[in-house]
Amino acid sequence: MNKIYKGLTLGSVLMSMLFFTNSVGAQEYEYPFRNPNLSEEERLENAVSLMTIEEKISTIVGQGVPRLGIANPGSTEAIHGIVRGGDAELPNLGNAGQFGGGFRFPAPKEKNSTAFPQAYGIGETWDREMAHIVGDVMSYEARYYTQEVGRPSLILWAPNADLARDPRWGRTEESFGEDPYLVGELVAAEVKGIQGDDPNHWRGAALMKHFLANSNEDNRYSTDSRFEEDLFRDYYSYGFWKGAKAGGKSLMTAYNRYNGIPCEANPFINDILIDEWGMNGTIVNDAGALRFMTSAHNYTKDINEAIKLSLENGLSRFIDSNFTQVMAAYEAGYLSDEVINERTKMNLRTMLKLGLLDDASPYNHIDFGDTAPWLTQEAKDKALLVTRKSVVLLKNENKILPIDTKKVKKIAVMGNRAEAVLKDWYGALPTYRVSPMDGIKAAVEGQDVEVRFQQWDSDGSAQELAKWADVCLVIVGNHPATSPDWGPQSVQSPWAMGTVAGDGREALDRRSLQLETEDLIKVVWQANHNTVAVLISSFPYAINWTAANVPGIVHMTQCSQELGTALADVLFGKYNPAGRLTQTWVKDILELPNMLDYDIRNGRTYMYYKGEALFPFGYGLSYTQFKYSRLKVKKDGDNYRVSFDLKNVGDMDGEEVVQLYAKVPGDDAAKRLRGFDRIAVKKGETKKVEIVVPVDDLKLWDMEKHQFDLKKGRGRIMIGASSEDIRLKKRVRF
């Protein structure tokens, strides 16, 4: 999507003035910070030296420096598509949006973007390339809004590196999964997709969230996540660390405390994020978190002390503090010039990388043509690709799927998620949505197949329809905004409230793991055993009866604009599914520890879970079968090279997600994911698969040495199709 600038538009002219005004000659610049030939540190030092205290504090509350021609980069939610919906009118930006020369862009009409599956679904692709594609598309569209529409959106609040340690967590939908290695790999891929390939500039700034250990919603403004240093390193911070290694320099802190200290004022920002990981870009708090330090955590006596502790410990920007508050804290002596200068420099570094301080960035010259990015066939194809890859086949007894339309002529569709593609709290607003019914009807168009629909069974009509059908599809799931199913009367649920105990979202944890609509599946199955349950959901359910009785089960997540097309492609065999679960699906809520128990060793995740899962981590089926053989493990310098043969022994071409687990000396976990790949193998073909595992990826945190270490001794390398389906294993001396 990276085209070179060719034509002039009003927006591009204004952006030219915005980004690179005042160039006197090829080697002459009004200010040294505009000279790309100087070092990054020299340029930032110069820019800070030219700024007034008012301008420095303006950057700390998220503004640009209009007098010096440095624009506000803007920001946007971006979990599975940039969020530009809602009120499309550009507000009175004042100092925050005043561009060089006093120019104002016209109020934008656009408010759409490409809508991918929720992050939980992106995780279920088990495909680094898919995470990269999502990041790439989002930052490209953010550039369009910034440069063509005049709606600055260059800092993307993504990816989410939080871990889904508990299925009751209301924001499970925003997480790639429960495993730190899987999440870390996908986070790194999305960071690279957002920021682009240029060695010196970013297309967009990836701002990971929420650091740290933020996986409960109820009372999150005052709760304390407590655990030791080894879990900090091996589990909760691991995905952020991988994102930092991939080039991410920014993140958002969490609402909660970590071991007694609110995250936005925790010393780990300076000590670990900045000094150790080199995350010297924009470090921002979450909305409202500043005042919660006093009102909820009772950690500071007033707002001045909260501002002081936050900035001194490394935070560089407040979402929720206005200019007056920070200036008052400075004038009252709570903030030193040294701290103000350092935090200003961090914010300017993000602006520099985004090309706001010079004309050297190739991303300032993108030619978008005459079509908005989300309207292009390329964007639509990418949304469909990611959505297809996210579909997980959970059960396929007697090969009820794929549906053979040469034999199946009557299809009954039921359920409350069949006719719509719902939008979640931070979802993109697409220009079109393909519902499951849309996709199913399109798939059988022109064939001698009849499709009938009945949403509920309140009068027994669904059972009667089931008796008529050759195959029944019951399409059910949660409402991602926790709103009631009132059809045209539907309204948004109030903040932190929902109408169904099994639903959740931001500020609301789930009260139940039960699927409210499972009874619909039961009555349909009673009338016709040829039933397939399609679960479109943001998190796992304890669908024990369905798993035991219904022959076909498919899972996918909400919100993709191509949801219905991807589902139909799988149901009718146009696409062979290969998605895998990224979370352990338990059978009963009683198997879960207390929600605020953040020590995962007490029974959380596949690493420490003691029960028998309904569906284990890494699980998913295909329409074909694979045979694993000839495992070899070889030490090669600082890497372990693990190879084996993978043969497609079934009747269809397909993909297999091969998973490498390790058990290293001294580890108390049952096993840990340490490698994976999604491999396409044609029918009858054998592929030699090699997974390279760096020694560093096998290391665990040593509490005595305070560093990552791999103890000497015997361990195991395991290759499997899920965490519980281990096909090959080998003892290894580490």
Side-chain angles (χ1 to χ4, degrees):
M1 284 188 166
N2 295 330
K3 302 175 183 177
I4 302 300
Y5 175 88
K6 295 177 182 177
L8 287 173
T9 65
L10 172 62
S12 61
V13 170
L14 295 178
M15 288 308 294
S16 296
M17 301 183 72
L18 167 83
F19 286 121
F20 17 90
T21 56
N22 302 319
S23 177
V24 178
Q27 300 299 323
E28 297 180 17
Y29 303 88
E30 182 175 3
Y31 307 116
F33 74 78
R34 291 200 176 279
N35 185 352
N37 298 314
L38 296 179
S39 70
E40 183 177 292
E41 196 63 25
E42 287 175 318
R43 298 176 68 188
L44 295 177
E45 288 285 354
N46 173 252
V48 172
S49 73
L50 297 171
M51 295 167 63
T52 65
I53 185 61
E54 290 80 7
E55 289 169 334
K56 294 173 186 177
I57 290 177
S58 291
T59 71
I60 290 172
V61 294
Q63 301 178 12
V65 191
R67 182 179 62 86
L68 298 178
I70 302 174
N72 170 18
S75 60
T76 178
E77 293 282 0
I79 295 297
H80 51 99
I82 63 168
V83 181
R84 300 286 78 189
D87 184 3
E89 294 298 313
L90 192 68
N92 184 0
L93 297 176
N95 192 39
Q98 192 80 19
F99 300 138
F103 288 104
R104 290 293 306 277
F105 287 102
K109 296 179 181 179
E110 290 92 340
K111 55 182 178 180
N112 299 108
S113 59
T114 303
F116 292 96
Q118 293 174 307
Y120 197 70
I122 298 168
E124 288 184 332
T125 70
W126 282 67
D127 194 322
R128 299 170 181 86
E129 183 185 356
M130 296 304 102
H132 188 280
I133 285 173
V134 172
D136 178 81
V137 170
M138 291 194 303
S139 66
Y140 184 79
E141 294 182 358
R143 276 281 168 179
Y144 176 86
Y145 268 104
T146 301
Q147 297 175 201
E148 298 296 308
V149 182
R151 197 172 182 183
S153 311
L154 295 182
I155 299 178
L156 280 66
W157 295 356
N160 189 315
D162 295 326
L163 292 161
R165 66 182 176 99
D166 192 302
R168 292 170 294 188
W169 180 34
R171 294 180 87 168
T172 294
E173 65 190 34
E174 293 189 28
S175 172
F176 290 135
E178 74 182 21
D179 179 77
Y181 179 83
L182 173 66
V183 170
E185 291 295 294
L186 297 179
V187 164
E190 190 167 303
V191 165
K192 292 176 181 178
I194 289 172
Q195 297 192 167
D197 300 325
D198 186 82
N200 299 313
H201 295 90
W202 298 333
R203 183 172 46 238
L207 189 141
M208 297 177 283
K209 60 181 193 176
H210 311 79
F211 200 88
L212 180 77
N214 176 196
S215 54
N216 67 279
E217 293 303 297
D218 295 350
N219 302 314
R220 60 185 176 161
Y221 311 113
S222 61
T223 57
D224 190 4
S225 302
R226 305 192 72 89
F227 47 88
E228 295 181 336
E229 185 183 20
D230 55 350
L231 285 179
F232 180 101
R233 297 288 188 161
D234 293 330
Y235 192 70
Y236 290 105
S237 75
Y238 192 91
F240 294 92
W241 175 56
K242 281 295 186 79
K245 290 179 70 175
K249 290 185 175 294
S250 300
L251 57 70
M252 178 184 291
T253 57
Y255 285 117
N256 54 281
R257 299 192 303 279
Y258 165 61
N259 288 354
I261 304 175
C263 288
E264 81 164 65
N266 201 296
F268 59 42
I269 302 176
N270 270 328
D271 297 344
I272 296 175
L273 301 182
I274 297 174
D275 294 343
E276 187 179 326
W277 295 359
M279 295 191 69
N280 53 8
T282 300
I283 308 293
V284 63
N285 69 344
D286 207 341
L290 184 64
R291 70 176 183 272
F292 295 141
M293 287 179 64
T294 301
S295 64
H297 292 298
N298 297 313
Y299 189 76
T300 54
K301 67 177 184 294
D302 57 24
I303 192 71
N304 286 332
E305 186 180 15
I307 291 171
K308 168 186 169 66
L309 292 179
S310 297
L311 293 179
E312 286 183 348
N313 282 291
L315 200 80
S316 74
R317 180 186 161 190
F318 297 111
I319 287 182
D320 54 347
S321 175
N322 63 34
F323 176 88
T324 304
Q325 286 179 317
V326 181
M327 178 58 77
Y330 173 78
E331 291 176 339
Y334 284 87
L335 300 173
S336 69
D337 286 311
E338 180 183 7
V339 168
I340 291 288
N341 289 345
E342 283 302 309
R343 303 307 164 235
T344 300
K345 190 185 298 183
M346 291 169 65
N347 297 322
L348 289 177
R349 182 175 284 106
T350 298
M351 299 178 194
L352 185 151
K353 300 291 282 185
L354 289 169
L356 302 181
L357 272 63
D358 59 49
D359 188 18
S361 171
Y363 302 121
N364 293 347
H365 302 270
I366 299 174
D367 175 16
F368 295 98
D370 298 325
T371 304
W374 50 88
L375 296 177
T376 65
Q377 192 60 47
E378 181 181 0
K380 297 174 184 178
D381 289 345
K382 287 179 177 179
L384 177 58
L385 174 65
V386 176
T387 312
R388 281 172 160 178
K389 291 215 173 199
S390 73
V391 180
V392 185
L393 179 62
L394 294 176
K395 188 177 180 183
N396 194 23
E397 191 175 86
N398 300 323
K399 295 186 177 180
I400 191 172
L401 294 174
I403 297 169
D404 184 353
T405 55
K406 293 179 181 179
K407 300 177 182 178
V408 173
K409 298 301 180 180
K410 295 180 289 185
I411 300 174
V413 181
M414 299 86 162
N416 61 334
R417 297 294 168 252
E419 293 187 294
V421 176
L422 301 176
K423 187 177 180 295
D424 64 10
W425 192 247
Y426 292 132
L429 182 65
T431 55
Y432 70 94
R433 310 182 199 191
V434 183
S435 73
M437 277 297 293
D438 294 334
I440 291 165
K441 288 179 178 179
V444 301
E445 187 176 2
Q447 303 180 60
D448 183 23
V449 177
E450 185 177 358
V451 179
R452 296 182 183 178
F453 174 71
Q454 175 63 45
Q455 187 175 64
W456 300 113
D457 190 53
S458 55
D459 58 357
S461 53
Q463 281 192 312
E464 290 303 312
L465 184 60
K467 293 174 183 177
W468 163 85
D470 296 324
V471 170
C472 300
L473 303 174
V474 186
I475 305 175
V476 292
N478 70 299
H479 194 299
T482 65
S483 295
D485 283 317
W486 291 347
Q489 307 277 323
S490 186
V491 296
Q492 171 70 53
S493 286
W495 182 251
M497 294 183 183
T499 56
V500 176
D503 284 1
R505 64 174 171 110
E506 181 173 2
L508 177 68
D509 287 319
R510 303 168 69 198
R511 274 73 169 153
S512 171
L513 300 183
Q514 300 303 305
L515 176 65
E516 183 197 34
T517 47
E518 189 171 25
D519 279 352
L520 177 62
I521 301 173
K522 291 179 180 180
V523 298
V524 171
W525 174 87
Q526 183 184 51
N528 187 339
H529 286 5
N530 291 327
T531 294
V532 175
V534 178
L535 182 58
I536 301 176
S537 71
S538 308
F539 21 63
Y541 283 94
I543 49 172
N544 302 333
W545 184 93
T546 299
N549 293 281
V550 176
I553 307 174
V554 172
H555 178 258
M556 61 193 306
T557 58
Q558 310 271 1
C559 300
S560 169
Q561 63 191 42
E562 291 285 357
L563 188 156
T565 306
L567 174 60
D569 286 349
V570 168
L571 293 177
F572 294 96
K574 185 176 180 179
Y575 186 83
N576 190 350
R580 298 293 184 265
L581 297 182
T582 65
Q583 202 171 14
T584 303
W585 287 38
V586 301
K587 294 180 178 179
D588 198 297
I589 200 168
L590 296 177
E591 297 176 353
L592 299 172
N594 184 290
M595 188 66 174
L596 282 184
D597 182 356
Y598 272 80
D599 187 342
I600 63 167
R601 289 168 293 207
N602 293 329
R604 294 192 192 278
T605 79
Y606 73 94
M607 292 183 282
Y608 296 101
Y609 177 62
K610 303 300 182 184
E612 181 182 350
L614 179 64
F615 298 112
F617 172 83
Y619 175 81
L621 302 175
S622 170
Y623 293 150
T624 190
Q625 297 81 43
F626 297 90
K627 180 182 177 181
Y628 295 66
S629 62
R630 299 171 58 85
L631 174 63
K632 296 180 181 179
V633 180
K634 179 183 178 182
K635 179 76 185 305
D636 181 12
D638 291 332
N639 299 313
Y640 284 89
R641 295 189 176 275
V642 181
S643 63
F644 57 94
D645 289 344
L646 181 68
K647 184 176 182 179
N648 185 336
V649 296
D651 300 326
M652 293 179 66
D653 297 347
E655 293 176 295
E656 176 78 336
V657 175
V658 296
Q659 301 163 42
L660 187 153
Y661 296 88
K663 172 78 172 179
V664 299
D667 189 6
D668 58 356
K671 59 179 75 73
R672 294 179 193 264
L673 184 71
R674 285 296 181 256
F676 67 90
D677 204 354
R678 184 163 175 154
I679 309 292
V681 189
K682 294 181 179 179
K683 180 177 66 173
E685 180 185 19
T686 299
K687 279 195 175 180
K688 185 178 183 63
V689 179
E690 182 177 80
I691 299 177
V692 177
V693 183
V695 172
D696 284 349
D697 282 354
L698 294 169
K699 293 178 179 178
L700 297 174
W701 191 257
D702 188 303
M703 293 282 282
E704 295 181 358
K705 297 179 181 178
H706 298 289
Q707 65 182 37
F708 285 104
D709 188 42
L710 178 59
K711 297 183 185 300
K712 293 182 179 181
R714 286 192 173 275
R716 290 190 301 277
I717 294 291
M718 295 160 273
I719 301 295
S722 81
S723 59
E724 294 300 315
D725 185 8
I726 302 300
R727 306 289 182 89
L728 305 170
K729 61 178 68 175
K730 199 174 196 64
R731 288 193 174 275
V732 177
R733 181 172 291 278
F734 294 105

